């Protein structure tokens, strides 16, 4: 039986927000330090989501966050 590990939603949320913020900074003329920080955060998010590219990692993290919210708040009738 295969076991799938997922990161805690708060950790995923933190890295999604960090990557998005650093991308915006870099797009508006960020420094080499900003680029390095984005590379580090991207790498970590890829590891957390089991992916290899930032866009894929962001999509996977958002899906995992939505799934976690659905499990926390069951549908009410």
């Amino acid at each position: 039986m295969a076991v799938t590990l997922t990161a805690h939603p708060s950790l995923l949320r933190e890295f999604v927000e960090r990557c998005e913020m650093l991308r915006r900074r870099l797009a508006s003329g960020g420094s080499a330090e900003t680029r390095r920080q984005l590379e580090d955060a991207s790498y970590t998010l890829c590891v957390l989501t089991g992916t290899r590219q930032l866009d894929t990692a962001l999509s996977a993290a958002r899906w995992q966050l939505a799934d976690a919210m659905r499990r926390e708040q069951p549908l009410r009738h």
Side-chain angles (χ1 to χ4, degrees), residues 21-61:
M21 179 266 302
L22 290 166
R23 272 181 145 183
R24 286 190 301 271
R25 259 192 215 162
L26 197 58
S28 64
S31 65
E33 176 64 16
T34 301
R35 180 176 302 282
R36 187 196 60 74
Q37 289 173 350
L38 178 58
E39 288 171 0
D40 289 348
S42 298
Y43 174 81
T44 301
L45 188 60
C46 286
V47 169
L48 292 172
T49 58
T51 60
R52 292 178 180 249
Q53 295 181 342
L54 179 56
D55 288 334
T56 307
L58 287 167
S59 293

Side-chain angles (χ1 to χ4, degrees), residues 3-21:
V3 176
T4 302
L5 298 177
T6 57
H8 192 275
S10 63
L11 186 61
L12 284 174
R13 193 172 299 108
E14 175 186 339
F15 276 92
V16 167
E17 291 171 359
R18 186 179 301 173
C19 286
E20 290 173 340
M21 179 266 302

